[in-house]
Amino acid sequence: MIRKQAVQETVLYYTPVQGPNVTKLKGVLVRMGIRIRNVAEEQTRETIGGLLGLPGYDVRQDPEAQPETSAEIRDEVLVMHNFSGYRIDELLLNLRKAGVPKIHLKAVVTETNCSWTFYQLYKEIKEEHTRMQKSVME
């Protein structure tokens, strides 16, 4: 009998400001058995795959990124890896129940964005969020 190894759910989490809500968020993640990888400002130019430690992805810096680009991230960002749709729903429900304010910039790791830098992914989901907000207001 071949035993299938369980795949670890992981969250890449970036926040510009530490506060009580960060503690609540991390408490939910720990209770759900989700691995947390905090992304520091100096790591925002590293690839998503590299930050997750995925085989074949280097933790390399984007040579074209400006040194000040990491300072431009002023929002919380939550990137989910190895989550099923059910588990994403469960996570969002548990965060709401714990009183964690809504994190607007969320993404799921894909084959495409795995090779992007954290900053590139941030820019993409920030633009998408802005477009969605505009269409709701129209």
Side-chain angles (χ1 to χ4, degrees):
M1 182 172 155
I2 298 174
R3 182 182 248 183
K4 191 174 180 180
Q5 187 177 8
V7 180
Q8 177 72 47
E9 296 166 324
T10 304
V11 161
L12 295 178
Y13 178 65
Y14 176 88
T15 184
V17 179
Q18 295 293 323
N21 292 321
V22 174
T23 305
K24 289 180 190 177
L25 177 136
K26 290 182 179 182
V28 168
L29 295 173
V30 167
R31 282 190 299 280
M32 290 183 67
I34 299 167
R35 188 172 72 160
I36 309 161
R37 303 278 314 223
N38 295 305
V39 178
E41 196 171 305
E42 60 274 5
Q43 294 175 300
T44 60
R45 290 173 40 210
E46 296 175 10
T47 64
I48 298 298
L51 288 167
L52 289 166
L54 300 178
Y57 291 94
D58 291 332
V59 181
R60 61 176 165 76
Q61 299 287 318
D62 178 0
E64 295 181 20
Q66 299 299 318
E68 66 276 3
T69 55
S70 59
E72 293 178 26
I73 301 180
R74 295 189 177 97
D75 305 288
E76 278 183 295
V77 181
L78 189 76
V79 180
M80 297 165 276
H81 179 60
N82 284 333
F83 278 73
S84 67
Y86 173 79
R87 285 290 282 177
I88 290 171
D89 292 343
E90 188 178 15
L91 172 60
L92 298 177
L93 177 64
N94 286 332
L95 291 174
R96 214 171 22 254
K97 283 181 177 178
V100 177
K102 186 173 185 177
I103 298 171
H104 296 284
L105 303 182
K106 295 181 287 292
V108 174
V109 176
T110 66
E111 204 173 299
T112 301
N113 67 23
C114 219
S115 60
W116 296 358
T117 65
F118 190 87
Y119 182 73
Q120 287 171 314
L121 180 58
Y122 160 75
K123 283 194 320 186
E124 182 67 29
I125 57 179
K126 177 79 172 175
E127 288 169 11
E128 185 178 306
H129 179 71
T130 302
R131 283 192 305 271
M132 287 174 46
Q133 291 301 105
K134 276 185 180 177
S135 68
V136 168
M137 301 299 280
E138 293 175 347

